[in-house]
Amino acid sequence: PTVLQAPIIMATYDPALKVPFCSTPGRACDSGPDLLKGHGNMYPSELNQPNTLDGCPDGGSGVYMTDETVESIKVKSLDGGPIGPGREMVIEAKVYTWSSTTDTVDFWYTSDATNPEWKFITSIKPAEDDSFNTISANFILPHGTLQAVRVTNRYSGVGQACATSGWDDMDDLAFAVENSCP
């Protein structure tokens, strides 16, 4: 038998949440290549910056394609079913990293995008210096009908949901969750 997979939903900017948002549950929610590109005021400036639910600002330093950026975020179910509580999820972040030694990508989630309390998932060092890297992290989706993930691409320092270095970039992706369990 053929198993039908839920669709991949492309996010659009939501002015109320102030982040890219997938309003319909699918097997994946994808920010696409343009909504998060860049960071803060660096040229090209990030659309709708800072693209964080809580207004956490991007660092004010850096040069595009030299310093740290989060370029895109995709969250998807590992089994191809719709995004739902109890499912194993994968966050894929396309980031630009300056150094595989000093840069770190942190992954976070919240079960309530309207009142975010960020829960840490993991920190991963990029594989390549001065280049685009796609970095992934897995987590089990909790209950909640409107959730979000955050990716922080930071220069040095300690992982925080709202990082403070001038070169750091934080971006969120919000998504609707199917009510049924897997």
Side-chain angles (χ1 to χ4, degrees):
T2 302
V3 176
L4 296 176
Q5 291 191 334
I8 296 172
I9 307 298
M10 295 305 294
T12 56
Y13 179 75
D14 184 283
L17 293 171
K18 300 182 180 172
V19 299
F21 173 53
C22 294
S23 60
T24 305
R27 77 171 181 261
C29 173
D30 190 341
S31 72
D34 297 321
L35 290 176
L36 302 175
K37 184 177 184 176
H39 110 211
N41 289 319
M42 76 169 41
Y43 179 80
S45 62
E46 180 179 353
L47 294 174
N48 306 301
Q49 60 181 292
N51 284 304
T52 56
L53 293 167
D54 51 10
C56 181
D58 294 331
S61 302
V63 175
Y64 187 65
M65 292 188 61
T66 299
D67 293 301
E68 297 77 6
T69 61
V70 175
E71 295 290 300
S72 65
I73 302 171
K74 178 193 248 182
V75 61
K76 64 182 182 179
S77 65
L78 196 61
D79 65 5
I83 293 172
R87 278 205 157 89
E88 186 169 5
M89 307 301 295
V90 179
I91 305 167
E92 291 179 354
K94 182 179 179 185
V95 297
Y96 192 90
T97 53
W98 176 69
S99 166
S100 60
T101 304
T102 59
D103 290 353
T104 305
V105 178
D106 301 314
F107 294 88
W108 307 82
Y109 74 90
T110 182
S111 61
D112 183 357
T114 62
N115 186 27
E117 291 184 24
W118 295 107
K119 307 279 193 253
F120 177 72
I121 300 169
T122 192
S123 296
I124 300 174
K125 290 284 193 185
E128 301 288 329
D129 292 338
D130 235 359
S131 68
F132 291 104
N133 287 266
T134 299
I135 300 174
S136 300
N138 292 19
F139 73 109
I140 302 299
L141 195 71
H143 287 275
T145 57
L146 178 57
Q147 300 195 33
V149 294
R150 171 171 286 177
V151 177
T152 302
N153 188 2
R154 64 180 161 90
Y155 171 77
S156 198
V158 176
Q160 300 173 9
C162 188
T164 57
S165 165
W167 290 274
D168 297 344
D169 188 16
M170 282 86 32
D171 288 314
D172 300 345
L173 176 64
F175 49 92
V177 175
E178 184 163 280
N179 289 326
S180 63
C181 293

